Amino acid sequence: MFEQEYALLKLFEKANRIEGRKKLQKTVHLLQMAGVPFGMDFKYHYYGPYSAELQSYIDVLVDYGMLREDNQGDTYIYEMTDKGKEFMQKYRETVGNDFSLPTESVERVLSYPATTLELTSTIGYLISLGYTMDVAKSKALELKPHLKNYIDKAEDLYNSMM
């Protein structure tokens, strides 16, 4: 119980702050594809893979005061609160489970802009459907021609994660 909430808070413990819902969605999707067991179900959406389940968990964490959600213009900014840190400590004491989250992978993903993550996540989603890298890149560019300048970085990020 509360495994997903703990896992998401663990992400914020490492990231400190995530700017943008799209960046949050793509970060979780890419880390999950790389083997981090977030347990979220992703479907293809306009901006690439999207998890309504993930957004629901984020909303709950915000509602319970464990995450702070600030809106700056069109961007949502998420940070863990002291209440979130207290929850994590109690969870560790009670369950004794310390969800493993590779710091290097989190830092790598978060170092890229949301546009690169969107394209990388889309390529990964297409590969998970059985497409080869070349076909996935081609299809991703058909879906997202406005992101063509990010294709090399997206492929590099994907290859470094998987």
Side-chain angles (χ1 to χ4, degrees):
M1 185 173 225
F2 301 115
E3 293 90 359
Q4 281 82 9
E5 291 88 344
Y6 179 78
L8 290 170
L9 288 173
K10 185 78 173 184
L11 172 62
F12 284 95
E13 183 178 59
K14 294 209 183 268
N16 295 319
R17 168 184 174 117
I18 297 178
E19 295 184 22
R21 287 181 171 173
K22 182 174 22 171
K23 188 161 191 162
L24 175 58
Q25 286 277 335
K26 303 321 171 212
T27 296
V28 172
H29 181 249
L30 289 168
L31 290 171
Q32 184 169 294
M33 287 187 66
V36 177
F38 284 109
M40 302 294 166
D41 184 34
F42 285 86
K43 304 285 186 218
Y44 191 79
H45 194 263
Y46 180 74
Y47 293 109
Y50 172 81
S51 173
E53 181 181 22
L54 170 57
Q55 187 58 53
S56 179
Y57 279 113
I58 295 298
D59 292 342
V60 166
L61 290 170
V62 169
D63 288 346
Y64 282 104
M66 293 184 220
L67 276 184
R68 181 175 26 262
E69 176 187 71
D70 291 323
N71 189 342
Q72 293 182 1
D74 292 339
T75 303
Y76 287 87
I77 298 171
Y78 297 94
E79 294 177 287
M80 187 169 22
T81 65
D82 288 341
K83 193 171 181 181
K85 292 173 187 172
E86 290 171 19
F87 168 82
M88 290 185 71
Q89 184 60 37
K90 287 179 184 174
Y91 186 91
R92 286 181 185 123
E93 290 169 3
T94 305
V95 178
N97 179 15
D98 196 16
F99 182 81
S100 179
L101 189 59
T103 302
E104 183 180 310
S105 295
V106 172
E107 289 173 352
R108 182 180 306 123
V109 171
L110 291 174
S111 72
Y112 285 87
T115 48
T116 303
L117 298 183
E118 178 182 346
L119 190 56
T120 306
S121 190
T122 299
I123 289 169
Y125 185 81
L126 292 167
I127 288 172
S128 75
L129 294 177
Y131 293 101
T132 64
M133 173 59 85
D134 288 338
V135 175
K137 284 177 17 183
S138 177
K139 290 211 174 284
L141 289 175
E142 284 176 30
L143 294 166
K144 302 175 176 304
H146 61 288
L147 299 179
K148 68 181 178 198
N149 294 336
Y150 300 96
I151 192 68
D152 291 336
K153 288 182 180 180
E155 182 178 11
D156 289 345
L157 175 58
Y158 180 84
N159 288 334
S160 74
M161 296 288 298
M162 304 312 149

